[in-house]
Amino acid sequence: MVGNAPAFLATTTTRLCINLAQSAQTRRETYIGTWLPEPVDTSSDPGLGAERGEALRLAVLLLLEKLSPTERAAYVLREAFDYSYRQIADILQMEEANTRQLVSRARKHITDGRRTTVGSDEQRRFLEAFIDAAQKGDLAGLEGLFAEDVVSYSDGGGIVRGARAPVTGRKRVATFIADVASHFWKGVTLAWIETNGLAAVLMSRDGVPVALATIDASAQGIDQIMWIMRPSKLSAILKSLQGLGDSYAAGPAAA
């Protein structure tokens, strides 16, 4: 008989996640193009985004991929679920002092890898301005929104055509987005949603999702643009949104 069911479940789930992360790392070595984390729909649960927004952000999840599976587990248990160091030590079967070191290293890595980000309202304004400029192919408008070292990531998984390598630099990213504007946005409808605690845009043609875009921004401007185009990742988001019923159906606006 299990004496502490919640603790048993947390331990089992964490161990499974560590094993999955270890195998996923091997699979991504053969992944075609840029891999981005799975987007999480937080539209139907605003509290989830508010309470765990920082830990859920795609930019943070992308940085977490550079940590070891154990470091990642310790960081998520502490930052996203507010577990005590003692509880984390019990789950990971190590000394409490070691878990503190794991979390500290992970936190430093995340901090060093990012600038101080803007709040959710400002992020939404940046995203709205970006989508407007991108649809118009407004090269100067795009450059004005970007940080000097902006990076655009496209995750099509080799199934959908997209940039297989990240595009970097203000001029190059703006030119890349402006050059594809005339055909990429044709017949596209937009749905403004929330994924990973931040505003995102789901793009569809004839009711079929073709891309989900979100950004990470700082005082210097937009630092990262993340285009998720792999059908399996989009279908998971669509299923979640369809559960919202009329609130989602009324969302898209013609591009």
Side-chain angles (χ1 to χ4, degrees), residues 9 17 44 66 102 126 129 137 154 179-180 210 213 222 226 233 240 243-244:
L9 181 60
C17 288
S44 58
K66 298 180 181 180
L102 286 175
F126 266 117
S154 302
D179 284 348
V180 303
V210 294
I222 296 175
M226 288 155 279
K233 295 181 179 180
S240 179
L244 298 177

Side-chain angles (χ1 to χ4, degrees), residues 74 77-78 83-93 99:
L77 286 170
R78 179 64 181 170
Y83 274 60
S84 69
Y85 289 108
R86 180 66 264 162
Q87 289 172 307
I88 298 172
D90 290 340
I91 290 171
L92 298 180
Q93 299 179 347
T99 65

Side-chain angles (χ1 to χ4, degrees), residues 92-241:
L92 298 180
Q93 299 179 347
M94 61 175 57
E95 295 296 324
E96 183 175 340
N98 291 340
T99 65
R100 289 180 180 274
Q101 291 176 348
L102 286 175
V103 174
S104 178
R105 283 202 305 264
R107 191 180 286 137
K108 184 177 186 303
H109 180 86
I110 299 300
T111 301
D112 290 347
R114 305 182 75 207
R115 297 188 175 106
T116 300
T117 57
V118 298
S120 58
D121 289 343
E122 186 67 12
Q123 185 265 354
R124 165 92 185 209
R125 286 192 286 271
F126 266 117
L127 181 59
E128 288 175 345
F130 166 67
I131 293 297
D132 181 63
Q135 287 178 296
K136 295 174 181 176
D138 181 357
L139 185 62
L142 288 166
E143 288 190 44
L145 291 169
F146 295 158
E148 182 64 35
D149 55 355
V150 62
V151 183
S152 177
Y153 300 99
S154 302
D155 180 354
I159 299 171
V160 176
R161 184 179 178 182
R164 293 196 174 184
V167 182
T168 61
R170 179 184 290 151
K171 183 67 175 178
R172 290 188 64 206
V173 174
T175 300
F176 167 71
I177 292 173
D179 284 348
V180 303
S182 60
H183 62 86
F184 179 81
W185 300 99
K186 188 175 181 179
V188 167
T189 57
L190 307 179
W192 288 87
I193 63 175
E194 181 187 294
T195 59
N196 302 75
L198 292 175
V201 180
L202 183 66
M203 306 157 204
S204 304
R205 286 194 186 92
D206 300 322
V208 179
V210 294
L212 182 141
T214 190
I215 61 162
D216 203 49
S218 67
Q220 285 73 39
I222 296 175
D223 299 309
Q224 297 182 70
I225 308 163
M226 288 155 279
W227 305 87
I228 295 173
M229 306 169 75
R230 186 178 175 90
S232 60
K233 295 181 179 180
L234 295 176
S235 63
I237 283 290
L238 182 61
K239 287 178 182 177
S240 179
L241 291 171

